[in-house]
Amino acid sequence: MEFKLLGPVQAGSHDCEVIISGSKISTVLASLLLARERLVGSDRMSYLLWGAQPPATRSAQIYTYISRLRKALGHDVQVERKGSGYLLRMNGSRLDVVEFEELCRTGQAELARGDYASSAESLRRALGLWRGPALTNVTSYLEDAERPRLDELRNAAHESRIEADLGLGRHRSLIPELTALVSEYPTREKLRSQLMIALYRCDRQSEAIDMFHAARRYLADELGVAPGDTLNNTYLAVLRGNVDLLMPAPSAS
């Protein structure tokens, strides 16, 4: 059985999709999968389904959702009742979140030892598991509880993949991507720093400096803060012409 949460919640077995109908059953399945074979208490499940104002029949409704889920999933996995909660036995099934995290750890380790080609490949494979925003067909309560963590992991993986590509001398091809990402995530200083480095390496130093000042104005106007060390250090490196101290220059562009 294969489960997917990095996009709409999906389940499939032997190239056949399992029909998981409705946001409530998708929420029950996703909450059990995210627990990684640990118990999800009834109170927790209730909150993820209905928030702070559950119906009086919440226990009966949860039982019904679990029964429907068991029927849909068949015998490949087991949904067990334990005390006041439920857990899902994976039985060797695949979960895209787990694969994503494992590829990210591998990619980060490769990046730390300077193996940029392997790191870029591992992180590109990790990001390729995403099919859009995570958990798009669950309740807003589960989405609010879990999506920010997943989004942060995705953003961090994206930044690390770009760092690996910078290490491989791909700065020219990165500029359009980084420009779009800075527009989408204007408070992520790492992305702005990476764009400054890419611009500098393309002999566009003045644009790199302009990028810093635009970031400084944005952070002051929107958040009332000054740039952090990452942006400040990149700015000083651009001014002094020693960007390669931040990241060794690649052998080829």
Side-chain angles (χ1 to χ4, degrees):
M1 183 75 74
E2 182 176 8
F3 296 101
K4 298 180 180 181
L5 303 181
L6 301 177
V9 176
Q10 293 180 354
S13 180
H14 305 107
D15 298 322
C16 179
E17 184 177 353
V18 175
I19 303 301
I20 306 296
S21 58
S23 64
K24 293 292 196 295
I25 296 182
S26 294
T27 295
V28 171
L29 175 58
S31 65
L32 292 170
L33 290 168
L34 289 167
R36 314 283 179 91
E37 296 192 325
R38 296 188 296 271
L39 189 72
V40 180
S42 295
D43 288 343
R44 172 67 173 171
M45 185 75 75
S46 172
Y47 179 81
L48 295 175
L49 287 166
W50 298 288
Q53 296 181 317
T57 58
R58 64 176 186 170
S59 295
Q61 290 194 49
I62 291 174
Y63 180 82
T64 298
Y65 296 143
I66 291 291
S67 296
R68 292 178 182 172
L69 187 60
R70 286 179 176 138
K71 183 177 180 180
L73 296 179
H75 301 294
D76 289 342
V77 298
Q78 284 79 49
V79 181
E80 301 177 4
R81 176 70 184 264
K82 294 285 186 180
S84 61
Y86 297 89
L87 62 84
L88 188 149
R89 301 288 186 192
M90 296 288 288
N91 295 337
S93 296
R94 297 172 59 188
L95 176 60
D96 60 355
V97 173
V98 171
E99 294 182 15
F100 170 74
E101 292 175 349
E102 289 175 349
L103 284 167
C104 285
R105 283 192 291 270
T106 298
Q108 294 284 4
E110 292 163 340
L111 182 62
R113 63 174 181 262
D115 187 353
Y116 298 131
S118 297
S119 177
E121 175 61 22
S122 295
L123 292 166
R124 196 167 274 110
R125 287 173 57 202
L127 292 163
L129 294 171
W130 286 72
R131 296 166 290 117
L135 303 168
T136 53
N137 54 346
V138 302
T139 65
S140 60
Y141 308 107
L142 177 56
E143 184 181 308
D144 291 344
E146 295 289 348
R147 187 186 286 177
R149 180 184 71 86
L150 295 172
D151 283 347
E152 177 58 31
L153 291 174
R154 184 186 193 184
N155 289 334
H158 218 146
E159 291 171 355
S160 294
R161 196 228 81 216
I162 289 170
E163 185 173 346
D165 280 338
L166 282 171
L168 292 168
R170 296 170 178 167
H171 38 271
R172 295 186 188 280
S173 62
L174 284 171
I175 289 176
E177 179 185 8
L178 279 165
T179 300
L181 286 170
V182 165
S183 178
E184 185 175 1
Y185 303 104
T187 62
R188 295 192 74 89
E189 296 187 33
K190 180 69 171 179
L191 291 172
R192 290 183 182 271
S193 172
Q194 291 173 325
L195 180 52
M196 289 173 65
I197 292 171
L199 289 167
Y200 174 86
R201 287 184 174 171
C202 291
D203 296 324
R204 296 164 64 178
Q205 290 93 331
S206 63
E207 293 175 68
I209 292 171
D210 288 344
M211 172 60 56
F212 172 81
H213 290 300
R216 181 173 53 80
R217 288 192 297 270
Y218 180 89
L219 293 171
D221 293 344
E222 298 297 325
L223 302 177
V225 299
D229 289 344
T230 297
L231 265 179
N232 281 322
N233 290 340
T234 304
Y235 174 62
L236 291 174
V238 169
L239 287 179
R240 296 167 179 168
N242 58 7
V243 167
D244 292 342
L245 295 179
L246 300 176
M247 173 180 287
S251 57
S253 60

